[in-house]
Amino acid sequence: MSTGVAQATGPSEVEDFRMSRLGRHTAIYALGVIANRALSIVMLPVYTRFMSPADYGALQLITMTVEIATIFAGSRIGWGIFRFYHKAETPEAKNAVLSTALMMLGASFATVGVIIYFLAPSVASIVFGWSGEHPVLLVRLGAGSLAFEGLVHVPFSYIMLSHRSTLFVKMSVAKLILQVTLNVIFLVPLHMGAAGVLLSTVIVNGMFGLGLASYLVYHVGRRFSRAAFDDLLRFGLPLVHMQVATFILTFGDRYVLNRAADTATVGIYSLAYTFGFILILMGYTPFSRVWDPMRFEIAKRPDRDVIYSRVFIYMNLLLVTMTVGIALFSHDLLRIVADPSFHAAAPLIPVILVAYLLHAWTRFHNLGIFIEERTQLFSIANWVAAAVSVVGYVILIPRYHAWGAAITTVVAFGIRQWMTYVWSQRLWRIEYRWGPVNRLLVVGAVVCVAGVLAPPASIPVSILVRIGLMGLYFAAIWSLHILSAEDRAFVRRAVRSPRRALSLLRG
């Protein structure tokens, strides 16, 4: 049985250990995310029936405004935690990195939240273009949730670094259950609309932020390190600048849509965009919570290229399969759970999914930039993509509305991915195996196009057709040898003996 220390063994033995560890914790994180998304899907009929498209659009605008504020609060400074935690040589130094990060983010988020609270009338006028008590209240509630958000990030990073995935999932699910419960209370019997959703966020962020911060201080102590502060600031400042570009890429189209069309169009487009977020939250996020800390450990290994390449294939098997599944079944899901006024979102969903598959690639391929601590290059890639997106917004959105926004998003995300990959490879080359990934992409594209071209049908018939298409997708993966011989042998053993396969996954 593996002890976690690399012995004088062949590469496959080392890989198997690493893959089982990655797979085990990813599966646990995925269960947590699935529980979270299940609760969110349950809430979708509540949102779409107790809020109008205009109210839903207003909520999205406030959410985007809070996202902008996190840029000035320095949210991306926390990205350096994994790098400098593993770089520290003593337990005391590692604890100092975490403690210092908590102080930095807690203070900066609270400060920015207070500033926005007092500037709420001006912020509401800029965001909505109209005045009144209601939008001012929404902005102030968003500021309240922001003030506590900085206390959550570092404790969750500590739990991830400790490989306590079960604890992470328990805390995340508890947080969401409280949020959903309060949302139902504020939306259904109290009819508070967007204000109720934002108020519940203030309450939940306050409770969990203070509780998790206390948990972290109990375990690592309170110690401010000037060296850790300087390292985190040096590593994170280019990423803070980058976040402005990322916001333009992710949310800028909503503001242009609001002026070119109306808030109802923003609400429909935002609903389609939600499925892109689902791909990231349910697919890439569980994987990244294990992979982001682990990839810096693997960087020191002589067989690192083999591991990185194999993990990239596995990641794409997960994400492309999810992309195909969401693209095929999202239309029927909307027909079941959403009001007909939201059904126009369905054709936009596959386009948004392509953009977020590219986003996951960008996050995976930025390793060379991060290893060499050249984060300014990642910032430049995001700014170039943001500039491309602004041109697309100006040219395409006034003419094509939501379709113009979706197409612009794919093009801009693709440019960012290409630049990130090229620069990372120049700084710290990794030999990826692109053949299996390319075959997987072709299979996924063919199946999705077949789903789009399928004639309209009743919901039961439509679902059966799409189940058949998913079966063809899996058959093609198997017949085209996208999986390696070793992986195919593992699948056969898993089919014959699921219990034995589960024990191997557990390591």
Side-chain angles (χ1 to χ4, degrees):
M1 184 172 64
S2 175
T3 62
V5 180
Q7 307 292 332
T9 59
S12 63
E13 290 184 48
V14 178
E15 289 173 47
D16 286 342
F17 167 73
R18 291 294 181 182
M19 298 306 165
S20 63
R21 177 181 167 195
L22 177 65
R24 180 172 67 254
H25 288 291
T26 299
I28 295 172
Y29 282 123
L31 289 174
V33 173
I34 290 171
N36 287 352
R37 289 302 95 194
L39 288 172
S40 298
I41 291 172
V42 168
M43 284 298 296
L44 187 59
V46 177
Y47 289 141
T48 57
R49 297 185 188 278
F50 288 88
M51 285 195 295
S52 66
D55 205 20
Y56 190 78
L59 178 62
Q60 292 297 313
L61 290 172
I62 290 294
T63 301
M64 291 185 295
T65 302
V66 173
E67 184 69 21
I68 291 177
T70 66
I71 299 171
F72 298 99
S75 60
R76 289 301 179 255
I77 289 176
W79 277 24
I81 292 174
F82 297 141
R83 173 62 175 160
F84 295 110
Y85 181 89
H86 285 297
K87 203 172 182 180
E89 297 180 353
T90 66
E92 292 76 14
K94 293 179 185 293
N95 289 343
V97 170
L98 294 166
S99 180
T100 302
L102 178 65
M103 295 179 191
M104 292 174 67
L105 293 180
S108 62
F109 272 75
T111 300
V112 173
V114 170
I115 291 172
I116 292 176
Y117 182 89
F118 286 107
L119 295 179
S122 299
V123 174
S125 178
I126 293 170
V127 173
F128 291 93
W130 45 278
S131 59
E133 289 301 320
H134 188 61
V136 172
L137 173 63
L138 295 183
V139 172
R140 284 182 169 155
L141 288 170
S145 66
L146 174 70
F148 293 106
E149 190 174 331
L151 299 175
V152 176
H153 294 300
V154 184
F156 273 139
S157 296
Y158 169 67
I159 294 171
M160 291 161 62
L161 284 164
S162 304
H163 302 298
R164 304 186 66 184
S165 51
T166 302
L167 176 61
F168 188 103
V169 168
K170 288 179 180 178
M171 297 301 297
S172 299
V173 171
K175 184 173 182 287
L176 184 64
I177 289 175
L178 179 59
Q179 176 99 47
V180 167
T181 301
L182 292 175
N183 282 348
V184 171
I185 293 172
F186 292 147
L187 283 175
V188 180
L190 299 181
H191 302 286
M192 294 178 64
V197 176
L198 292 169
L199 177 59
S200 69
T201 305
V202 175
I203 296 171
V204 172
N205 280 358
M207 291 177 59
F208 277 82
L210 294 172
L212 286 169
S214 300
Y215 170 83
L216 180 67
V217 170
Y218 175 80
H219 284 279
V220 306
R222 289 180 295 175
R223 179 188 170 190
F224 179 81
S225 167
R226 181 56 186 268
F229 178 88
D230 291 343
D231 283 339
L232 289 167
L233 205 60
R234 172 178 54 82
F235 189 91
L237 276 180
L239 300 178
V240 172
H241 302 154
M242 177 206 74
Q243 189 66 3
V244 179
T246 301
F247 177 84
I248 295 172
L249 278 168
T250 307
F251 296 114
D253 47 10
R254 313 307 202 282
Y255 290 106
V256 182
L257 270 177
N258 189 44
R259 283 158 176 76
D262 49 35
T263 55
T265 303
V266 174
I268 291 170
Y269 178 71
S270 297
L271 180 59
Y273 217 95
T274 298
F275 286 88
F277 289 149
I278 288 174
L279 175 65
I280 294 300
L281 291 174
M282 296 186 68
Y284 185 77
T285 297
F287 165 82
S288 68
R289 284 174 179 164
V290 190
W291 181 243
D292 284 352
M294 184 184 292
R295 63 183 185 161
F296 292 106
E297 300 177 34
I298 295 171
K300 303 174 183 178
R301 300 169 60 90
D303 57 344
R304 61 179 177 86
D305 280 12
V306 176
I307 298 175
Y308 287 136
S309 180
R310 191 171 175 186
V311 171
F312 184 56
I313 294 172
Y314 290 160
M315 184 193 77
N316 278 283
L317 280 167
L318 170 66
L319 295 183
V320 174
T321 300
M322 289 188 62
T323 297
V324 172
I326 296 171
L328 289 178
F329 292 99
S330 56
H331 189 192
D332 291 326
L333 176 65
L334 290 180
R335 291 166 68 188
I336 294 170
V337 303
D339 186 83
S341 61
F342 284 93
H343 290 181
L348 297 166
I349 292 172
V351 182
I352 300 299
L353 290 171
V354 171
Y356 273 89
L357 180 61
L358 291 168
H359 172 73
W361 282 14
T362 301
R363 290 283 302 276
F364 191 94
H365 288 143
N366 66 15
L367 180 60
I369 292 174
F370 278 35
I371 287 288
E372 296 297 330
E373 299 177 15
R374 298 284 299 279
T375 49
Q376 68 271 19
L377 294 178
F378 196 42
S379 180
I380 292 171
N382 277 269
W383 273 109
V384 171
V388 171
S389 70
V390 169
V391 174
Y393 298 159
V394 172
I395 295 175
L396 298 180
I397 289 179
R399 179 176 296 182
Y400 301 109
H401 292 176
W403 276 105
I407 292 170
T408 298
T409 299
V410 172
V411 172
F413 278 36
I415 290 172
R416 180 181 62 176
Q417 152 62 18
W418 177 77
M419 294 181 68
T420 300
Y421 180 78
V422 169
W423 278 336
S424 285
Q425 289 292 83
R426 288 178 180 174
L427 289 170
W428 204 73
R429 186 169 182 80
I430 298 171
E431 295 295 334
Y432 293 105
R433 292 173 54 220
W434 280 97
V437 175
N438 290 335
R439 293 196 297 274
L440 179 65
L441 292 174
V442 171
V443 171
V446 169
V447 171
C448 287
V449 170
V452 170
L453 296 179
S458 63
I459 291 176
V461 172
S462 179
I463 290 175
L464 287 175
V465 169
R466 280 151 175 74
I467 290 173
L469 289 173
M470 283 300 300
L472 291 175
Y473 168 80
F474 288 118
I477 289 176
W478 188 264
S479 62
L480 292 176
H481 296 278
I482 293 171
L483 291 169
S484 67
E486 182 180 353
D487 294 328
R488 289 160 64 88
F490 177 83
V491 171
R492 292 189 186 97
R493 291 196 301 269
V495 172
R496 289 195 297 264
S497 178
R499 182 176 298 179
R500 181 183 176 190
L502 184 59
S503 67
L504 290 173
L505 186 62
R506 288 173 177 171

